[in-house]
């Protein structure tokens, strides 16, 4: 999986804010059933989701250096694909944030989100990821949930 290759080859052992080699690669596809929700709420044009070393370095530094929580970073690394392919919810990210959508999944009874930005050409790029709380998530519009298997109307 590309997130482990990027971590091993570009990020492991780097200092906070250290410059890294920029690379971008395919991580996974979103489910076809989610594509309709994404397309209706953005300029999304396809199912592929991409990860860059820049975004992974941001996630790494935020957890390892800012929060001092390497174990949370490992949980994200191990579950990044699962959160995107099998989310419990998809929410609209805040306009003030860089991402357009938040894919949310409970991992070991803890909600985690992956923020995804739609590029100008309609591709999906991971921006960030973190553990979060239910109260934080309530600030974002729910577009789709697994419980209803469709968008709330």
């Amino acid at each position: 999986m590309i997130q482990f290759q990027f971590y091993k080859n570009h990020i492991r052992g780097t200092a906070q804010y250290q410059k890294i080699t920029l690379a971008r690669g395919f991580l996974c596809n979103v489910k076809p059933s989610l594509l309709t929700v994404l397309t209706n709420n953005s300029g999304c044009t396809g199912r592929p989701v991409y990860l860059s070393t820049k975004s992974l370095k941001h996630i790494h530094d935020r957890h390892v250096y800012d929060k001092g929580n390497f174990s949370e970073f490992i949980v994200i690394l191990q579950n990044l694909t699962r959160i995107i392919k099998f989310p419990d919810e998809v929410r609209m990210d805040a306009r003030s944030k860089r991402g357009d959508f938040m894919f949310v999944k409970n991992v070991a009874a803890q909600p985690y989100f992956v923020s995804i930005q739609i590029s100008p050409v309609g591709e999906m790029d991971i921006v960030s990821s973190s553990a979060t709380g239910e109260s934080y998530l309530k600030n974002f519009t729910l577009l789709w949930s697994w419980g209803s298997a469709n968008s709330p109307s």
Side-chain angles (χ1 to χ4, degrees), residues 9 15 19 31 36 41-42 44 47 55 58 71-72 87 108-109 113 116 122 130 145 148:
N9 296 332
K19 292 187 183 206
K31 296 182 344 179
T36 303
N41 290 281
S42 72
C44 178
R47 293 177 49 212
S55 292
H58 163 73
S71 61
E72 191 171 285
F113 75 86
I116 294 182
S130 186
S145 71
S148 64

Side-chain angles (χ1 to χ4, degrees), residues 1-3 5-6 23-30 46-52 81 84-85 123-126:
M1 296 161 108
I2 197 164
Q3 67 267 38
Q5 293 171 354
F6 280 178
R24 178 178 181 255
F26 171 78
L27 179 71
C28 65
N29 284 315
V30 297
R47 293 177 49 212
V49 177
Y50 298 92
L51 176 66
S52 70
T81 302
I84 295 165
K85 288 178 81 170
E123 294 179 333
M124 290 185 272
D125 290 297
I126 293 173

Side-chain angles (χ1 to χ4, degrees), residues 8 16 24 52 75 79 85 106 114 121 135 137 139 141:
K8 179 183 173 191
Q16 188 174 22
R24 178 178 181 255
S52 70
V75 170
N79 289 281
K85 288 178 81 170
N106 280 330
V114 175
V121 295
S135 59
L137 292 173
N139 296 318
T141 303

Side-chain angles (χ1 to χ4, degrees), residues 15-79:
Q16 188 174 22
Y17 307 122
Q18 181 177 331
K19 292 187 183 206
I20 57 169
T21 302
L22 297 180
R24 178 178 181 255
F26 171 78
L27 179 71
C28 65
N29 284 315
V30 297
K31 296 182 344 179
S33 59
L34 288 177
L35 189 57
T36 303
V37 173
L38 301 175
T39 303
N40 290 344
N41 290 281
S42 72
C44 178
T45 59
R47 293 177 49 212
V49 177
Y50 298 92
L51 176 66
S52 70
T53 53
K54 180 179 179 180
S55 292
L56 192 59
K57 174 71 170 151
H58 163 73
I59 295 165
H60 172 268
D61 286 1
R62 181 169 183 224
H63 291 87
V64 174
Y65 296 113
D66 297 345
K67 294 181 175 182
N69 194 341
F70 183 73
S71 61
E72 191 171 285
F73 172 71
I74 294 300
V75 170
I76 291 168
L77 210 57
Q78 293 171 336
N79 289 281

Side-chain angles (χ1 to χ4, degrees), residues 89 91 102 104 106 109-113 131-141:
E89 300 175 348
R91 294 182 174 266
M102 295 171 64
V104 181
N106 280 330
Q110 169 68 53
Y112 282 81
F113 75 86
T132 190
E134 294 293 336
S135 59
Y136 177 75
L137 292 173
K138 290 182 185 201
N139 296 318
F140 303 94
T141 303

